[in-house]
């Protein structure tokens, strides 16, 4: 008989992969796929399903909402999350809220095992419920049934709480024969409780209304003195006319389940500790990798400002800057993938010109494409294409896709970019190349983190294999889809980003210019630069002076405090990690007044680092290696020009 599955999934490709995985394992599946609340509730109400599978993130309808609806529904179907971004913390929380289990999309091979286990457990729960219901029908049938149950101790208690009947499973579980326990109090198996008041059996039974049940878990002891962890269900039994006849008590040994729960809790705590350690490691790694890049990039920018630099030297400077930017991008990718996995990546959605974003990124890559003898073709549409997006993250998607296309296209090849509307209400960007293509077996994992296809290609092209994974996750966070098509090796590849195309969106505000308009003409703003790296401090002091600012340098907290006491600075630019403290110590002493601005400059770029700096009072948080234009733009926004 076919298993009936209700699948809540907004990505048709992911839905197909999940169902295919179940069928390949030998399960016969009938499915209904929904992607919104109304269809989900309507499907539940049909009562025609054995199981619910649900994504965790869906536009307008979250997996949490689906779980809540399923839990409130009388069918009580097993509920399994199938998600690509469900972190350990969210997974444990969903299990506490009633989810049966979860499977990562990157590990779909686990799905058949989890589904079979969930169905078995659901069948067991239904059997147990049916047994309890049948116990109430008649004493004769009750007697026949309870003796047939091997895993459930079933006893009846008198209205006063003494044992009146004792099935064979009770003898096996507790070690007492019926003759030894009949007439004894029903709480004779309880372990001694801790000091303090505790409700007696009589008090517990008094709380039960006619026909109601009390469910509890506790430690019980056997005749031989050993203990076991038990699930106990006590139900008030009523006869004809509603008179209380006594109580049924069903006991099941749950020691193995308790041990498994304890192991799960220990694993959760270990995972949380490992996650914290990983975050600390990434933060330190980011800082240690960014710090030496800072003076290199600053020195290259300083050289770039020189008008007398020979052309061949200027090309070398551009090469240095370009490779420092690539290294910084790799560090950012590591931090981004950590945010995505832990569901800590936040977006600021606003009307954004998709065509303008694509044009800007294409212009940046034209020089690289030309140097590699690759034709980069893009004809912007005649009018803006406005979408709801986080502008920086939208640019990151296009950047990663275009960088990938150039990376895998040989000299003499071509990369084409096109914006089109595949259907009403949707807008798409195609980035097609004539490069090495993708084998069919690699297409299904192309968006997996750290996966670059075959080992030979990965070794030859380099990189971490994070760009496409990040782009796919960012597209999903925007309510869009990132798709890929390739006819095979040597046939090129086309990536398509599809987003909602809302009607009537207003055009976004003009993006800031990449380079400051001019050297300030008013009184030069006085800047205190707190930086313990001598090379970085020297290069930044030169760059800021070139833009007309007066700059003093302090190499630690102590010198910074003395400098602040000696004169008034319009701007504080401070590193966060200093030999005798941190940037927060300097900020507290600076205590910016109206007309003064504090900027954090650091190699620590985790989300928590940014929040910490902004909450402390810094006007901006900039990461190393610093593009001097970013700092100048911050200063200009705060009136220091």
């Amino acid at each position: 008989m076919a298993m009936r599955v209700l699948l809540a999934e907004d990505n048709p490709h992911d839905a197909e992969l999940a169902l295919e995985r179940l069928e390949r394992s030998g399960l016969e599946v009938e499915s209904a796929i929904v992607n919104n609340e109304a269809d989900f509730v309507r499907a539940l109400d049909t009562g025609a399903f054995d199981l619910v599978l649900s994504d965790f993130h869906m536009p307008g309808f979250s997996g949490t909402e689906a779980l809540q609806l399923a839990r409130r529904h009388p069918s009580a179907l097993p509920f399994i999350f199938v998600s690509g971004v469900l972190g350990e913390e969210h997974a444990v929380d969903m299990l506490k809220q009633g989810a049966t289990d979860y499977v990562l999309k990157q590990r779909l091979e686990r799905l058949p095992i989890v589904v079979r286990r969930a169905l078995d457990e659901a069948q067991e729960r239904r059997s147990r419920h049916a047994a309890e219901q049948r116990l109430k029908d008649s004493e004769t049938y009750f007697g026949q049934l309870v003796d047939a149950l091997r895993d459930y101790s079933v006893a009846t208690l008198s209205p006063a709480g003494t044992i009146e009947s004792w099935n064979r499973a009770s003898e096996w579980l507790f070690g007492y024969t019926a003759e030894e326990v009949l007439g004894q109090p029903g709480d004779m198996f309880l372990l001694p409780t801790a000091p303090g008041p505790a409700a007696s059996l009589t008090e517990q039974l008094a709380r039960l209304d006619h026909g109601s049940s009390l469910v509890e878990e506790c430690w019980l002891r056997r005749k031989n003195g050993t203990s076991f962890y038990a699930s106990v269900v006590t139900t008030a039994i009523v006869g004809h006319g509603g008179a209380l006849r006594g109580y049924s008590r069903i006991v099941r040994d749950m020691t193995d389940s308790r041990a498994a729960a304890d192991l799960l809790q220990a694993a959760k705590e270990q995972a949380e500790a490992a996650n914290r350690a990983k975050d600390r490691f990434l933060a330190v790694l980011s800082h240690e990798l960014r710090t030496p890049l800072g003076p290199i990039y600053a020195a290259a920018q300083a050289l770039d400002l020189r008008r007398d630099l020979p052309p061949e030297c200027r090309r070398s400077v551009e090469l240095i800057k370009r490779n420092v930017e690539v290294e910084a991008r790799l560090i950012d990718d590591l931090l981004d993938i950590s945010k995505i996995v832990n569901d800590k990546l936040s977006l600021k959605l606003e009307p954004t010109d998709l065509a303008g974003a694509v044009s800007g990124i294409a212009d940046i890559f034209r020089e690289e494409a030309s140097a590699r003898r690759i034709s980069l073709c893009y004809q912007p549409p005649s009018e803006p294409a406005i979408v709801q997006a986080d502008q920086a993250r939208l640019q990151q998607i296009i950047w990663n896709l275009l960088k990938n296309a150039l990376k895998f296209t040989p000299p003499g090849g071509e990369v084409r970019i096109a914006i089109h509307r595949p259907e009403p209400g949707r807008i798409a960007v195609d980035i097609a190349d004539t490069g090495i293509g993708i084998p069919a077996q690699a297409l299904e994992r192309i968006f997996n983190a750290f996966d670059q296809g075959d080992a030979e290609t990965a070794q030859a092209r380099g990189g971490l294999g994070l760009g496409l994974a990040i782009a796919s996750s960012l597209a999903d966070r925007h309510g869009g889809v990132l798709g890929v098509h390739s006819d095979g090796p040597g046939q090129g590849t086309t990536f398509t980003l599809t987003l909602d195309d809302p009607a009537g969106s207003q055009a976004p505000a003009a993006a800031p210019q990449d380079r400051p308009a001019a050297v300030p003409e008013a009184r030069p703003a006085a800047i205190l630069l707190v930086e313990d790296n001598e090379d970085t401090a020297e290069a930044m002091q030169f760059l800021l002076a070139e833009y007309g600012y007066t700059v003093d340098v302090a190499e630690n907290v102590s010198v910074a405090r003395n400098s602040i006491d000696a004169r008034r600075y319009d701007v504080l630019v401070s590193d966060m990690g200093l030999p005798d403290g941190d940037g927060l110590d300097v900020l507290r002493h600076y205590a910016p007044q109206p007309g003064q601005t504090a900027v954090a400059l650091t190699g620590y770029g985790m989300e928590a680092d940014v929040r910490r700096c902004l909450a402390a009072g810094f006007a901006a948080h900039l990461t190393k290696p610093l593009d001097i234009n970013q700092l100048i733009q911050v200063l200009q926004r705060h009136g220091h020009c």
Side-chain angles (χ1 to χ4, degrees):
M1 182 177 179
M3 176 181 63
R4 299 160 299 176
V5 176
L6 173 56
L7 177 55
E9 173 61 73
D10 64 310
N11 188 318
H13 178 67
D14 286 352
E16 181 180 354
L17 286 177
L19 295 174
E20 181 185 5
R21 178 64 66 175
L22 292 175
E23 291 174 348
R24 283 167 55 190
S25 72
L27 292 171
E28 185 178 355
V29 179
E30 295 178 0
S31 63
I33 303 174
V34 299
N35 60 11
N36 59 74
E37 180 177 346
D39 289 344
F40 184 81
V41 172
R42 192 177 300 113
L44 279 179
D45 288 341
T46 65
F49 298 97
D50 302 307
L51 179 75
V52 176
L53 302 180
S54 176
D55 194 2
F56 189 68
H57 286 294
M58 293 178 286
F61 180 48
S62 70
T64 303
E65 293 170 330
L67 174 59
Q68 291 171 350
L69 290 170
R71 291 288 294 165
R72 290 197 297 265
H73 200 273
S75 59
L77 296 175
F79 192 104
I80 299 172
F81 279 109
V82 182
S83 173
V85 295
L86 187 63
E88 185 69 22
E89 180 179 350
H90 282 293
V92 174
D93 187 50
M94 291 302 99
L95 293 176
K96 289 180 179 178
Q97 294 186 35
T100 306
D101 211 330
Y102 71 97
V103 175
L104 295 177
K105 290 182 179 179
Q106 298 89 333
R107 298 188 61 190
L108 279 179
E109 65 273 8
R110 291 188 60 246
L111 185 58
I113 299 172
V114 172
V115 165
R116 285 189 170 95
R117 185 170 61 222
L119 291 175
D120 290 342
E121 291 175 353
Q123 179 60 40
E124 183 178 343
R125 286 194 300 271
R126 287 193 294 268
S127 298
R128 177 175 174 178
H129 179 71
E132 293 176 6
Q133 290 299 114
R134 286 194 296 269
L135 288 174
K136 300 177 183 179
D137 291 342
S138 70
E139 292 184 0
T140 301
Y141 188 67
F142 172 78
Q144 295 174 349
L145 175 65
V146 294
D147 269 344
L149 294 175
R150 294 183 58 87
D151 296 328
Y152 295 90
S153 162
V154 181
T156 57
L157 307 180
S158 70
T162 58
I163 301 173
E164 292 188 330
S165 70
W166 191 249
N167 74 337
R168 292 179 183 175
S170 299
E171 295 182 358
W172 298 328
L173 184 59
F174 288 94
Y176 290 96
T177 64
E179 291 76 12
E180 292 176 296
V181 299
L182 293 181
Q184 298 295 322
D187 56 1
M188 63 177 289
F189 311 104
L190 291 176
L191 289 174
T193 58
S200 66
L201 176 62
T202 303
E203 292 171 330
Q204 289 180 338
L205 298 179
R207 296 173 188 167
L208 291 174
D209 295 328
H210 290 182
S212 65
S213 296
L214 173 65
V215 181
E216 58 181 336
E217 292 184 356
C218 59
W219 286 96
L220 301 177
R221 60 183 171 187
R222 299 182 175 90
K223 182 179 180 179
N224 61 9
T226 60
S227 60
F228 64 97
Y229 193 73
S231 169
V232 182
V233 180
T234 306
T235 304
I237 306 298
V238 296
H240 298 294
L244 177 66
R245 298 188 57 185
Y247 305 90
S248 70
R249 173 161 283 194
I250 303 175
V251 179
R252 187 183 182 198
D253 187 347
M254 299 291 290
T255 306
D256 290 343
S257 299
R258 173 61 183 263
D262 290 343
L263 288 174
L264 178 61
Q265 179 62 28
K268 173 181 176 294
E269 293 172 356
Q270 291 174 358
E272 290 173 345
N275 198 47
R276 290 191 295 269
K278 179 204 65 180
D279 286 344
R280 288 193 298 270
F281 170 76
L282 285 177
V284 173
L285 177 66
S286 168
H287 178 270
E288 294 304 310
L289 292 177
R290 289 179 191 276
T291 296
L293 294 179
I296 298 172
Y297 197 57
Q301 292 178 95
L303 287 172
D304 199 27
L305 290 177
R306 296 190 54 166
R307 295 182 177 85
D308 60 346
L309 196 67
E312 62 273 15
C313 293
R314 192 169 299 280
R315 285 194 296 272
S316 296
V317 169
E318 290 301 319
L319 182 146
I320 294 171
K321 289 170 60 180
R322 186 164 58 250
N323 281 276
V324 169
E325 289 165 359
V326 168
E327 190 72 20
R329 181 72 262 165
L330 291 175
I331 298 170
D332 289 338
D333 283 348
L334 282 172
L335 300 184
D336 282 344
I337 204 70
S338 176
K339 294 175 188 175
I340 290 169
V341 168
N342 291 287
D343 198 24
K344 294 180 179 178
L345 187 69
S346 58
L347 301 180
K348 181 182 179 182
L349 301 181
E350 56 188 2
T352 302
D353 183 4
L354 176 62
V358 174
S359 294
I361 301 300
D363 289 342
I364 292 174
F365 278 102
R366 288 192 188 281
E367 183 177 349
E368 178 181 343
S370 176
R372 297 179 59 181
R373 294 189 293 110
I374 297 173
S375 175
L376 179 57
C377 306
Y378 171 58
Q379 182 62 45
S382 58
E383 57 185 22
I386 308 303
V387 295
Q388 286 290 327
D390 183 305
Q391 182 171 339
R393 293 302 184 178
L394 179 62
Q395 291 174 337
Q396 185 177 0
I397 297 173
I398 304 301
W399 177 287
N400 287 357
L401 295 178
L402 193 49
K403 186 72 176 177
N404 186 80
L406 292 174
K407 179 179 180 180
F408 292 101
T409 299
E414 182 180 72
V415 175
R416 288 187 171 275
I417 309 173
I419 296 178
H420 60 99
R421 288 175 169 81
E423 58 183 89
R426 303 286 275 176
I427 189 167
V429 181
D430 288 344
I431 297 181
D433 63 64
T434 59
I436 64 173
I438 303 174
Q441 66 271 20
L443 280 174
E444 64 179 28
R445 65 177 195 275
I446 195 66
F447 295 121
N448 292 349
F450 303 104
D451 196 327
Q452 294 180 285
D454 61 86
E456 182 179 348
T457 299
Q459 184 176 5
R461 305 288 174 169
L464 297 176
L466 294 177
L468 293 180
I470 292 171
S472 178
S473 294
L474 289 176
D476 183 64
R477 296 297 178 91
H478 280 83
V481 176
L482 181 58
V484 60
H485 173 78
S486 177
D487 290 328
Q491 301 300 309
T493 305
T494 299
F495 287 92
T496 301
L497 171 65
T498 305
L499 300 169
D500 287 334
D501 183 17
S505 297
Q506 61 184 15
Q513 298 298 314
D514 288 339
R515 186 172 288 274
V519 174
E521 298 179 359
R523 175 188 71 81
I527 298 177
L528 176 62
L529 173 63
V530 186
E531 172 59 63
D532 64 320
N533 185 293
E534 184 177 346
D535 295 333
T536 300
E538 179 182 349
M540 285 190 60
Q541 186 177 31
F542 171 80
L543 287 169
L544 289 168
E546 285 293 299
Y547 283 106
Y549 297 97
T550 62
V551 184
D552 290 340
V553 175
E555 64 271 19
N556 56 42
V557 175
S558 177
V559 175
R561 286 172 174 166
N562 293 336
S563 299
I564 293 169
D565 292 339
R567 64 170 294 186
R568 183 186 189 280
Y569 291 98
D570 302 299
V571 179
L572 168 69
V573 178
S574 180
D575 192 4
M576 293 305 293
L578 297 168
D580 56 345
D582 63 19
L584 298 182
D585 298 324
V586 180
L587 177 66
R588 281 189 287 269
H589 196 78
Y590 182 59
Q593 303 300 312
Q596 292 180 306
T597 304
V599 178
L601 175 61
T602 174
Y604 293 106
M606 300 290 281
E607 192 77 21
D609 301 317
V610 177
R611 289 196 303 268
R612 177 169 169 258
C613 288
L614 298 182
F618 283 104
H621 176 283
L622 302 177
T623 54
K624 298 176 182 178
L626 175 70
D627 184 341
I628 193 63
N629 296 312
Q630 293 179 315
L631 177 57
I632 300 302
Q633 289 166 12
V634 170
L635 299 182
Q636 289 181 346
R637 282 201 303 271
H638 289 83
H640 304 295
C641 48

